[in-house]
Amino acid sequence: MATVVELPRLSDTMEEGVVAKWRVQVGDKVKRGQVIAEIETDKATMEFESFDAGTVLALVAVEGQTLALGAAIAVLGQPGEDANAALAARSSVTVLPAPTPASSSAPAPAPAPVVAPKPVEASAPAPSPTPAPVEPTHIDPNERRIAASPLARRLVREHGLDLAAITGTGPHARIVKADVDRALAEGTGKLAAPGPGPAAAQAADEADAWGRPYVARPSEVIKPSQMRKTIARRMTQAKQDIPHYYLTIAIDMDAAAKLRAEINLAIDSNKVSFNDMIIKAVARSLRDLPDMNTVMVDGQVVRHGDVHVGVAVALDDGLVVPVVRYADQKSLEAIALEVRTLGKRAKAKQLKPNEMSGSTFSVSNLGMFGIDTFSAVINPGESGILAVGAIEPRAVVVDGQLAIRKCMNVTLSGDHRVNDGARGAVWLARVKTYLETPIKLFSDPTPVGSPAAPG
């Protein structure tokens, strides 16, 4: 019997995905474990290996199409089997008629069926018959007299489409998700570009000092990536649910700079960075003061037993946070190697889900961009995040004398539900001690729960 291939969950925060690229075509034979597609998730573009073997009977999903978890994306089976029958047999989907290609004047069957989730269509009552044709003027996508499912309305808003310009194929000509996907694929249903308004007319009338008129340029609607959607959702959640407090401290990095130079002279490869030393100091401080490694879960305070440090890595369309697991137990050189490897794979969008989950605390470093001080947002599920600024020469007083030292500012963002500023200040002072006396990073870690301070 033919098997319907569904969109799997490829990351812990994934709620929808995009088939970025198909690696197979209809008629190809597929082995179990063979990569059949590249799936764009909220964190990376990942290779999807088939769980089943067979011949590709249909590719349901179109490249670039946004799909919910569990949506049908392909059908595998024996040659000659009916893909539509397999899709119709699924209790969670309804097979809809394929759209007519825009270039053809007569209806023609599409090679692959279009699938829409039933639960979405069943959640709203069937509306009255389709309203009379609407004049070709822009209608707000939220206009209730146009029959459309809630999911279709949301997609119309996200992609800047004109709901009135989309033909519905659902019950009673209702506009469903498949109709919006078809409009996106065919490039139809877009809102007409607004004509020159008062601002444009004013710009045309104005001129610079040399008499050259200013040019009014139109705004552009940009479709957010899956990663950007997830960042927006999780950062909104963090600022709504987590009451942040912020503490900033200056750290003298002269000793750390000298020790780092000596270490890198002694090793041929895998050079140690300042960020590696900061990660090690953060991890050891969390090990020393485990009350700072706590998080609020369902009204309960949970103290993490392990220390897993997330390292923010900036990408062109957002950022990801690969995790250095058991960072408090790893050597500085091991951390340096792991951070470098994870960073390269993050920029290539090749991280695995387990490499981006489970962090208990994060470090975000913008020093390479010349930022001296900033405040970061706590990633939901973590106890805090340390924002690291640039290391720069500063005039400081040392033993009563003015001196030039390499210094940096770090800012702790803490969760006020599980600890307070005083406790955060003690922890931040611990980080400062480790970095200003970096030889302590090579001592045996303080046992968990021990009140003893380093040195």
Side-chain angles (χ1 to χ4, degrees):
M1 181 178 177
T3 302
V4 177
V5 180
E6 299 180 346
L7 182 69
R9 181 185 294 276
L10 297 176
S11 76
D12 57 331
T13 57
M14 179 179 174
E15 296 184 357
E16 58 185 12
V18 174
V19 178
K21 182 180 180 180
W22 281 111
R23 296 279 194 89
V24 295
Q25 298 178 352
V26 174
D28 289 353
K29 292 184 178 180
V30 174
K31 297 179 181 180
R32 187 175 287 106
Q34 177 181 339
V35 176
I36 62 173
E38 296 177 9
I39 306 296
E40 180 189 346
T41 72
D42 56 331
K43 294 183 176 179
T45 299
M46 302 182 182
E47 294 181 337
F48 173 38
E49 299 178 354
S50 176
F51 301 108
D52 303 286
T55 300
V56 181
L57 303 179
L59 298 179
V60 181
V62 179
E63 290 184 357
Q65 181 180 5
T66 302
L67 299 167
L69 290 179
I73 62 174
V75 181
L76 302 180
Q78 298 299 320
E81 287 190 278
D82 188 357
N84 275 304
L87 290 166
R90 297 174 76 238
S91 59
S92 61
V93 301
T94 300
V95 180
L96 301 176
T100 302
S103 60
S104 173
S105 58
V114 179
V115 180
K118 259 186 181 178
V120 175
E121 298 309 317
S123 63
S128 56
T130 307
V134 183
E135 295 182 4
T137 55
H138 167 56
I139 296 179
D140 184 6
N142 291 319
E143 180 61 53
R144 294 296 178 185
R145 60 191 180 90
I146 298 179
S149 70
L151 177 58
R153 292 181 184 276
R154 179 171 65 82
L155 292 175
V156 163
R157 290 194 300 269
E158 289 180 356
H159 296 288
L161 301 181
D162 188 347
L163 195 62
I166 300 176
T167 301
T169 60
H172 303 287
R174 192 166 185 246
I175 297 174
V176 295
K177 179 179 180 294
D179 301 321
V180 180
D181 291 337
R182 182 175 67 253
L184 289 171
E186 296 176 352
T188 59
K190 295 182 178 179
L191 290 172
Q202 180 181 358
D205 292 338
E206 295 178 351
D208 60 17
W210 292 271
R212 295 174 300 190
Y214 296 117
V215 177
R217 297 182 177 87
S219 300
E220 180 183 3
V221 177
I222 300 174
K223 178 183 176 182
S225 64
Q226 296 299 113
M227 181 183 298
R228 180 50 59 187
K229 289 180 182 178
T230 300
I231 291 173
R233 184 180 69 252
R234 289 181 65 80
M235 293 300 97
T236 300
Q237 173 192 350
K239 295 299 286 186
Q240 288 178 339
D241 297 345
I242 303 176
H244 289 51
Y245 69 84
Y246 306 98
L247 300 173
T248 300
I249 195 170
I251 299 178
D252 185 338
M253 295 294 287
D254 251 27
K258 293 176 182 177
L259 181 60
R260 172 177 173 264
E262 293 175 0
I263 293 174
N264 288 339
L265 281 175
I267 56 179
D268 296 328
S269 59
N270 188 32
K271 303 298 184 180
V272 172
S273 70
F274 284 113
N275 206 49
D276 301 327
M277 302 179 78
I278 293 167
I279 293 169
K280 179 71 173 177
V282 165
R284 290 289 295 272
S285 298
L286 290 172
R287 173 75 177 264
D288 294 344
L289 301 172
D291 283 347
M292 285 297 295
N293 201 31
T294 57
V295 66
M296 181 75 72
V297 180
D298 297 329
Q300 301 292 325
V301 177
V302 177
R303 179 188 293 164
H304 293 298
D306 297 318
V307 177
H308 304 317
V309 179
V311 185
V313 177
L315 304 178
D316 290 339
D317 55 348
L319 61 87
V320 293
V321 185
V323 182
V324 178
R325 303 179 66 81
Y326 306 104
D328 60 316
Q329 303 177 44
K330 291 181 177 177
S331 67
L332 186 57
E333 189 173 357
I335 291 175
L337 177 60
E338 188 170 349
V339 169
R340 182 175 290 103
T341 301
L342 289 172
K344 289 180 179 178
R345 297 182 58 233
K347 291 183 181 299
K349 296 188 176 181
Q350 295 176 344
L351 290 174
K352 298 177 181 178
N354 65 300
E355 295 173 325
M356 299 179 285
S357 60
S359 53
T360 64
F361 195 95
S362 282
V363 172
S364 179
N365 193 334
L366 292 180
M368 67 288 293
F369 298 105
I371 303 300
D372 57 9
T373 305
F374 71 103
S375 301
V377 180
I378 300 173
N379 192 30
E382 297 182 3
S383 59
I385 184 169
L386 188 70
V388 181
I391 299 175
E392 56 189 5
R394 297 180 189 172
V396 297
V397 176
V398 180
D399 297 330
Q401 300 294 323
L402 189 63
I404 302 298
R405 293 293 183 94
K406 294 179 179 178
C407 299
M408 72 174 182
N409 291 338
V410 296
T411 300
L412 167 67
S413 298
D415 185 346
H416 225 319
R417 297 174 301 174
V418 294
N419 54 66
D420 303 315
R423 182 171 297 173
V426 173
W427 180 85
L428 207 53
R430 183 70 58 95
V431 174
K432 177 183 174 75
T433 298
Y434 273 124
L435 291 174
E436 292 188 341
T437 316
I439 195 65
K440 295 180 182 292
L441 294 175
F442 296 90
S443 63
D444 291 334
T446 305
V448 174
S450 172

